[in-house]
């Protein structure tokens, strides 16, 4: 009926609830005992229905957020969208691991974070863009020695309308971005 993890979760909840809440029956079963079983089963069904209809099974009620990181080291030319291709969290499927863009599913106040690791002698200049306009800047200029890596971070809080597109691109020159330690995250605050 529900499929996948949701169905297994519901089955687990039902089994645990029955184990912990049904009184042990020995000997003479009465109408009172059967009524107790019926009442408990109805209460469990109501609880499961509430979880499915009002809880996180309904994506409309799930909080808006995403988190993705670079699955491999990449080089991007100025103005090219950085694609964080390894997705960890993506409610509402609002972030695209193909395009590297997040499209706001709802109007509201959002927070975004960019974390970038540069290899020795490499640089990046990550700009946080909203519909083509830069809203926040990050510089990760690693002119250090042969074994010095540099991590840079930046956060921005933006009031956005539904349907606006948010992404990261280098605003200055060619960017070299290290895998695993470079990520892009966002969440709706209200």
């Amino acid at each position: 009926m529900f499929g996948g993890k949701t169905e297994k979760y519901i089955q687990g909840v039902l089994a645990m609830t029955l184990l912990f809440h049904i009184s042990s029956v020995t000997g003479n079963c009465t109408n009172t005992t059967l009524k107790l079983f019926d009442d408990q089963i109805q209460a469990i069904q109501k609880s499961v229905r509430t979880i499915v209809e009002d809880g996180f099974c309904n994506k409309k009620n799930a909080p808006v957020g995403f988190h993705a990181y670079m699955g491999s080291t990449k080089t991007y030319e100025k103005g090219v969208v950085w694609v964080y291709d390894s997705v960890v969290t993506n409610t509402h499927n609002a972030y695209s691991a193909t395009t590297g863009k997040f499209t706001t599913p709802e109007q509201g106040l959002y927070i975004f974070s960019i974390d970038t690791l540069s290899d020795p002698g490499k640089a990046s200049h990550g700009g946080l863009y909203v519909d083509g306009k830069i809203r926040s800047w990050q510089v990760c200029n690693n002119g250090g020695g042969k074994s010095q890596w540099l991590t840079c971070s930046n956060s921005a809080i933006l009031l956005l309308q539904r349907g606006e597109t948010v992404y990261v691109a280098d605003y200055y020159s060619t960017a070299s971005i290290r895998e695993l330690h470079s990520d892009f995250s966002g969440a709706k605050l209200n």
Side-chain angles (χ1 to χ4, degrees):
M1 178 171 153
F2 300 105
K5 292 181 181 179
T6 303
E7 188 169 336
K8 288 182 182 178
Y9 174 76
I10 292 169
Q11 289 172 350
V13 168
L14 286 172
M16 293 304 291
T17 304
L18 287 172
L19 285 174
F20 289 120
H21 293 96
I22 294 178
S23 302
S24 161
V25 177
T26 57
N28 300 326
C29 291
T30 65
N31 285 339
T32 305
T33 305
L34 293 175
K35 172 88 169 99
L36 175 64
F37 285 150
D38 285 342
D39 289 347
Q40 289 177 340
I41 289 171
Q42 286 177 4
I44 292 167
Q45 287 173 333
K46 183 178 178 182
S47 296
V48 170
R49 195 173 301 109
T50 300
I51 290 169
V52 172
E53 291 173 357
D54 297 334
F56 289 137
C57 295
N58 183 348
K59 285 191 173 188
K60 290 179 186 174
N61 294 332
V64 176
F66 75 97
H67 175 73
Y69 64 91
M70 296 277 182
S72 60
T73 299
K74 299 176 183 171
T75 302
Y76 290 102
E77 296 300 319
K78 177 182 176 182
V80 176
V81 176
W82 297 359
V83 178
Y84 300 84
D85 55 352
S86 296
V87 177
V88 177
T89 303
N90 192 13
T91 65
H92 298 261
N93 293 317
Y95 176 77
S96 170
T98 304
T99 66
K101 296 181 178 182
F102 171 77
T103 303
T104 55
E106 304 170 1
Q107 176 185 345
L109 190 64
Y110 288 81
I111 185 166
F112 296 95
S113 175
I114 310 166
D115 300 295
T116 308
L117 177 65
S118 287
D119 285 334
K122 304 290 182 177
S124 68
H125 303 84
L128 182 68
Y129 289 82
V130 178
D131 289 339
K133 295 179 183 176
I134 194 165
R135 298 292 184 220
S136 185
W137 296 259
Q138 176 200 75
V139 175
C140 202
N141 190 352
N142 189 358
K146 292 182 179 179
S147 62
Q148 181 179 342
W149 283 263
L150 182 64
T151 303
C152 303
S153 296
N154 192 24
S155 297
I157 298 174
L158 303 171
L159 183 59
L160 300 173
Q161 300 302 311
R162 183 176 191 252
E164 289 188 293
T165 304
V166 182
Y167 59 91
V168 180
D170 198 297
Y171 61 87
Y172 182 73
S173 64
T174 300
S176 177
I177 303 147
R178 185 76 166 169
E179 85 276 2
L180 303 178
H181 305 284
S182 300
D183 55 23
F184 180 32
S185 301
K188 184 178 179 218
L189 297 174
N190 71 340

